Amino acid sequence: MGAELAIRNLHVKVEGNEILTGVDLTVRAGEVHSLMGPNGSGKSTLAYILMGHPAYEVDEGEVLLDGENILELEPDERARKGLFLAFQYPTPIPGVSVADFLRTAVSSIRLGPSEEGRTTELIPMREFRKEIRERMTELDIDHSFARRHLNDGFSGGEKKRAEILQMSLLKPRIAVLDETDSGLDIDALRAVADGVNRQLSSELGVLLITHYQRILNYIEPNFVHIMVDGRIVQSGGPELAHELEAKGYDMVKDLV
Amino acid sequence: MAAEAMKEMPDLAKVQEAIDQAVPTKGSEDTDDYQYGFHYPDESVFRSKKGLRRETVEEISWIKEEPDWMLQKRLEALEIYFSKPMPQWGGNLNALNFDDIYYYVKPTDSQGKTWDDVPDNIKETFDRIGIPEDERKFLGGVGAQYDSEVVYHSLKKELSDQGVIFLDMDAGLREYPDLVREYFTSIIPSADNKFAALNTAVWSGGSFVYIPAGVKVDIPLQAYFRINSENMGQFERTLIIAEEGAEVHYVEGCTAPSFSSDSLHSAVVEIFCKPGSRVRYTTIQNWANNVYNLVTKRAVAYRDATMEWVDGNLGSKLTMKYPSVYMMEPGAHGEILSIAFASRGQHQDAGGKVIHAAPHTSSIITSKSISKNGGRASYRGLLKVAKGAVGSKSNVVCDALILDDESRSDTYPYIEIDEQEVTIGHEATVSKIGDEQLFYLMSRGLSEAEASNMVVRGFIEPLVRELPMEYAVEMNRLIQLQMEGSVG
Ligand SMILES: Nc1ncnc2c1ncn2[C@@H]1O[C@H](COP(=O)(O)OP(=O)(O)OP(=O)(O)O)[C@@H](O)[C@H]1O
Ligand SMILES: [Mg+2]
């Protein structure tokens, strides 16, 4: 059975300010939803709260994954249930190589959680190396990249590619991509979009956060939503993105 | 060989002068997870009475059948020890009862020539620590000290054929009395500090290493130090002499069982790096949490010589240790890499000292400390450039990582520059493990413990990368154990 992520009347506070003011959205396996909205409207906040960021506090509402409320779960538990977030600003982890990190991550997702504090049992090196090389080739990433330190000194485009590389190895059931298209040159945009498309299937649901219609030419959404001031004010099909591109956010002004 | 060494005699007066000039830097609970916490019943053949008096020193010297000059040196040092006040800087020594300590414990009557000669209980201890397996795999020589005496020693034949000497210090004194007399206490005189005096008075064991000119020992020589008896004081003494163009990597590993009362480890290490030589001294110390570890380590480096200290300080209740390099002639280079990990009930007061006593000398100090669960890690360092040491370069970087709100980190950098024409860099950072880093890693399926583990591993990576593979693996494993010690 495909996954279903249901967000119900979600209100979220950050440092006392209400940022999300009642979000309702359901993403199912096999669907691509695009979420658009002005700067500061709360898109990343939604992404973070879905993944369990400790700085954000739910005031009201629920988030159900396959009917189970996940708001009490730790981020790693959510990841093991098949949730993935490609960060708008991936965090540098100095001294930790991409390969070392990804082998641990892939192992904890596939082989289950580590026992209290112990290291996860690791998948065999050979098997992992073969797999990461294949994925890097597909994303047009040089193999030496695996030895670099995670997000440390990566260019904007390298960071985004690395996020998609991670997604392709972790094989989530619901993926939230937060502005994965921002800061990419034309070739990189295509490589990243191809990378996502390759993973699209009836087993994967995607919430694609973006400012630009351009990416939607590569990754076709089934639904487009517009968020303003912490809630979704309008939803529609792909044509909504075109309309927004033409008219700007003025078009939803009176809906707020 | 002794005569040859005499010819190369370093200018000890100059060393002493540099030492005098350098101002000294001023300034428990058990973990169940301590892997080396096992211990075997004490089957020692002799132990001195608890506490320290003149007779203790005479007894040690008598048992060892030492020459009279050594006994005199010991007694002189004992007077200095009694006359010096307890240091009031660094860590708190008030809880340590010096009268409740055995200053000499002889575990067996004879040293094993082969591994099979070593008494079973001792053998088993070292088997669990990994000797002689490591010896077969990658070491050039091994020494194993159990309480006060070295119970096993070996050196690969290729090395002894080239004139390399690697003996325990007592055997060194017996077989090369002139060499020992020449160098012993010449870099660290008894009067240097209270614990150097203590060590000189009651020293036993440690290593004597001599590398002839031009000989490059490319596999490590390793010594293991093990405290097995409760209330034990271990006072090993190490002397390393690298002749011109010689190279050696010496490694020490230290462990002790967890007793309910405290033990004391107070070593002295003196190293001579003659012109063009290269010495690396690596410590991977993993003492149990009730060991006071008060160690004096000092090296002198002559023209174009390189001295490197790699100092991994894990475990112990209190460690006070600041390995130093005195650069005596142009082109000398000193390097200190220090890693400290302080957890509950632990205080790591560690760092290093570099003294530029000649022009065009260079040094690097890199310190990384981690504190966790209420542990306290301090960096204490001295950078001194003497007048006339023009063109000297030094760079000091110390980074501290604090894992939670209970824990603490301090930095005490002392810098004394008496020369204008120098290039000095100093950088210190203190960071708390980032929520953003943990969140990022956890969002990829890593548990919180594993995520902080990974951040810590990344933090020390720049230092661990410098180690030979076997030691890098060991260091990572020990850090991991410390991290597992108390999750949440
Ligand atoms: N940790 C935080 N502390 C304080 N304010 C925050 C925090 N995180 C988000 N905010 C505020 O919440 C609001 C929504 O931010 P969010 O990052 O979700 O917007 P966004 O829609 O992703 O914007 P953009 O398109 O620029 O990425 C902003 O006003 C932001 O300043
Ligand atoms: Mg955003």
Side-chain angles (χ1 to χ4, degrees):
Chain A
M1 191 199 73
E4 182 191 83
L5 180 75
I7 303 161
R8 305 254 167 86
N9 187 32
L10 192 63
H11 292 251
V12 171
K13 264 192 195 151
V14 189
E15 289 172 7
N17 302 322
E18 189 164 65
I19 307 292
L20 297 186
T21 53
V23 177
D24 285 277
L25 180 64
T26 300
V27 179
R28 295 185 182 83
E31 298 174 351
V32 175
H33 292 249
S34 171
L35 180 64
M36 305 179 86
N39 292 131
S41 56
K43 304 180 298 296
S44 294
T45 302
L46 177 65
Y48 278 145
I49 200 78
L50 291 176
M51 204 67 233
H53 194 294
Y56 298 78
E57 195 187 317
V58 175
D59 246 10
E60 208 184 317
E62 51 186 10
V63 175
L64 307 171
L65 183 59
D66 302 332
E68 181 199 359
N69 192 347
I70 58 167
L71 287 175
E72 294 302 315
L73 299 181
E74 292 293 322
D76 56 316
E77 296 172 303
R78 301 182 197 202
R80 276 186 238 109
K81 288 191 182 293
L83 204 57
F84 179 85
L85 168 62
F87 285 60
Q88 184 175 359
Y89 306 108
T91 315
I93 315 284
V96 174
S97 74
V98 170
D100 189 14
F101 156 69
L102 263 177
R103 188 169 168 219
T104 312
V106 168
S107 304
S108 35
I109 297 251
R110 291 189 198 161
L111 307 177
S114 58
E115 258 179 62
E116 229 203 272
R118 311 274 148 186
T119 345
T120 322
E121 192 192 326
L122 293 174
I123 59 169
M125 192 47 151
R126 237 163 217 267
E127 182 186 322
F128 173 72
R129 194 176 295 155
K130 181 166 173 289
E131 204 177 329
I132 190 173
R133 288 201 174 145
E134 282 172 13
R135 298 289 92 78
M136 285 195 290
T137 306
E138 283 170 6
L139 284 162
D140 203 14
I141 295 174
D142 194 274
H143 288 188
S144 66
F145 195 75
R147 288 197 299 276
R148 290 189 55 188
H149 293 166
L150 186 59
N151 300 327
D152 195 21
F154 285 12
S155 75
E158 285 169 342
K159 282 186 180 169
K160 299 301 169 84
R161 271 187 222 231
E163 293 291 290
I164 298 307
L165 172 66
Q166 294 182 41
M167 176 179 165
S168 70
L169 284 159
L170 297 177
K171 304 198 173 86
R173 302 189 305 138
I174 299 285
V176 180
L177 310 182
D178 192 357
E179 295 199 27
T180 303
D181 57 330
S182 294
L184 296 180
D185 65 37
I186 295 161
D187 293 344
L189 182 67
R190 189 181 304 258
V192 160
D194 286 350
V196 173
N197 278 330
R198 217 173 288 116
Q199 295 173 59
L200 287 182
S201 75
S202 57
E203 300 297 308
L204 174 67
V206 174
L207 180 61
L208 186 70
I209 298 173
T210 182
H211 284 294
Y212 308 107
Q213 200 276 328
R214 194 181 48 165
I215 181 84
L216 305 180
N217 294 336
Y218 297 98
I219 306 171
E220 265 183 70
N222 307 94
F223 307 94
V224 174
H225 311 275
I226 301 174
M227 176 176 275
V228 181
D229 288 348
R231 63 194 183 87
I232 290 170
V233 296
Q234 196 175 356
S235 296
E239 70 289 346
L240 188 56
H242 288 280
E243 201 184 333
L244 193 61
E245 181 95 344
K247 299 186 187 159
Y249 287 111
D250 269 356
M251 90 183 221
V252 290
K253 224 163 69 190
D254 36 320
L255 292 173
V256 179
Chain B
M1 184 171 323
E4 197 184 297
M6 301 282 277
K7 209 171 56 209
E8 292 294 333
M9 195 180 138
D11 185 351
L12 295 177
K14 228 172 132 196
V15 173
Q16 194 48 55
E17 196 182 318
I19 289 169
D20 290 343
Q21 272 179 21
V23 179
T25 51
K26 300 230 169 58
S28 75
E29 291 76 330
D30 288 358
T31 338
D32 304 327
D33 300 85
Y34 184 66
Q35 198 197 359
Y36 302 105
F38 63 90
H39 76 104
Y40 288 86
D42 172 28
E43 290 171 12
S44 54
V45 295
F46 174 82
R47 54 172 58 210
S48 59
K49 280 202 213 103
K50 270 186 179 174
L52 180 57
R53 37 191 110 47
R54 191 181 164 96
E55 297 79 72
T56 323
V57 171
E58 288 170 341
E59 201 166 44
I60 293 170
S61 189
W62 182 78
I63 289 172
K64 293 176 179 292
E65 298 175 26
E66 287 178 348
D68 187 59
W69 68 265
M70 182 57 84
L71 173 62
Q72 296 314 320
K73 233 181 201 337
R74 286 179 183 275
L75 291 172
E76 205 181 291
L78 185 69
E79 287 310 312
I80 296 171
Y81 170 70
F82 284 141
S83 69
K84 276 192 184 288
M86 205 45 83
Q88 296 302 313
W89 52 273
N92 184 350
L93 294 165
N94 298 336
L96 179 58
N97 183 356
F98 287 86
D99 295 330
D100 200 32
I101 284 188
Y102 295 105
Y103 285 81
Y104 179 71
V105 178
K106 184 177 175 151
T108 166
D109 268 325
S110 61
Q111 191 179 110
K113 287 262 174 304
T114 70
W115 192 243
D116 288 337
D117 297 340
V118 177
D120 281 346
N121 62 328
I122 298 178
K123 200 155 52 185
E124 218 174 298
T125 300
F126 285 117
D127 273 336
R128 286 174 71 168
I129 293 170
I131 328 172
E133 202 189 324
D134 290 346
E135 179 186 355
R136 281 195 299 272
K137 278 197 297 203
F138 66 95
L139 296 174
V142 168
Q145 178 159 348
Y146 196 79
D147 290 339
S148 298
E149 294 289 347
V150 174
V151 295
Y152 173 71
H153 226 282
S154 76
L155 179 66
K156 285 217 159 74
K157 191 170 174 302
E158 308 90 276
L159 295 175
S160 55
D161 286 349
Q162 293 178 74
V164 171
I165 304 171
F166 179 41
L167 289 169
D168 69 89
M169 193 65 197
D170 295 278
L173 175 60
R174 277 194 306 274
E175 294 178 33
Y176 302 93
D178 296 344
L179 265 180
V180 172
R181 191 170 186 175
E182 171 68 40
Y183 290 95
F184 189 85
T185 65
S186 63
I187 317 184
I188 305 178
S190 306
D192 186 79
N193 67 73
K194 190 170 176 77
F195 291 99
L198 175 62
N199 175 282
T200 309
V202 296
W203 75 268
S204 183
S207 302
F208 176 69
V209 180
Y210 179 88
I211 314 294
V215 173
K216 296 180 174 22
V217 181
D218 53 7
I219 39 180
L221 305 179
Q222 175 150 2
Y224 295 86
F225 296 96
R226 171 77 181 172
I227 293 179
N228 190 63
S229 303
E230 193 161 5
N231 295 107
M232 161 77 201
Q234 191 174 56
F235 305 99
E236 89 266 10
R237 180 94 190 189
T238 289
L239 179 57
I240 299 176
I241 302 157
E243 292 289 357
E244 272 192 43
E247 287 184 14
V248 68
H249 183 189
Y250 175 91
V251 185
E252 62 173 351
C254 320
T255 62
S258 318
F259 291 114
S260 51
S261 56
D262 299 326
S263 304
L264 171 61
H265 175 255
S266 188
V268 166
V269 178
E270 297 174 286
I271 302 180
F272 290 85
C273 310
K274 302 284 183 72
S277 68
R278 229 189 143 86
V279 176
R280 173 180 268 211
Y281 190 112
T282 297
T283 302
I284 299 190
Q285 153 205 317
N286 184 28
W287 292 116
N289 290 358
N290 46 9
V291 175
Y292 283 83
N293 185 42
L294 312 167
V295 172
T296 309
K297 289 178 164 167
R298 195 172 291 165
V300 289
Y302 295 91
R303 184 175 291 274
D304 299 329
T306 292
M307 173 66 211
E308 295 170 291
W309 295 103
V310 178
D311 205 24
N313 295 310
L314 286 86
S316 85
K317 184 171 189 171
L318 169 66
T319 287
M320 287 171 67
K321 176 153 44 114
Y322 327 96
S324 62
V325 186
Y326 287 69
M327 287 152 281
M328 309 304 297
E329 289 178 357
H333 177 70
E335 206 159 324
I336 300 166
L337 305 179
S338 168
I339 299 177
F341 195 120
S343 193
R344 193 176 307 289
Q346 297 181 319
H347 183 184
Q348 303 283 5
D349 199 79
K353 305 186 212 175
V354 286
I355 290 89
H356 294 258
H360 305 291
T361 49
S362 58
S363 68
I364 301 174
I365 299 181
T366 314
S367 155
K368 296 251 178 191
S369 75
I370 299 151
S371 43
K372 172 175 190 258
N373 280 341
R376 177 174 174 197
S378 315
Y379 167 79
R380 191 179 297 275
L382 171 70
L383 159 58
K384 181 171 174 75
V385 181
K387 184 117 200 78
V390 292
S392 290
K393 284 191 197 133
S394 179
N395 197 36
V396 179
V397 179
C398 31
D399 299 325
L401 183 65
I402 304 176
L403 298 193
D404 49 54
D405 293 330
E406 300 169 76
S407 304
R408 172 170 169 191
S409 167
D410 308 283
T411 308
Y412 307 98
Y414 297 82
I415 302 181
E416 293 167 30
I417 313 289
D418 299 326
E419 180 55 58
Q420 300 285 312
E421 254 181 83
V422 293
T423 316
I424 303 295
H426 187 276
E427 223 181 280
T429 66
V430 179
S431 44
K432 271 206 68 183
I433 196 163
D435 283 343
E436 297 302 326
Q437 290 185 326
L438 291 183
F439 174 61
Y440 185 84
L441 295 173
M442 288 174 76
S443 80
R444 282 7 177 185
L446 276 64
S447 67
E448 184 172 355
E450 219 170 347
S452 41
N453 227 327
M454 192 159 260
V455 173
V456 167
R457 202 144 27 104
F459 175 73
I460 59 165
E461 189 272 350
L463 289 198
V464 170
R465 184 174 56 200
E466 298 294 319
L467 301 177
M469 210 254 289
E470 288 83 2
Y471 298 105
V473 169
E474 177 67 1
M475 187 71 87
N476 275 330
R477 196 180 64 81
L478 292 177
I479 296 272
Q480 179 107 30
L481 281 172
Q482 293 283 328
M483 292 294 292
E484 283 168 11
S486 32
V487 174

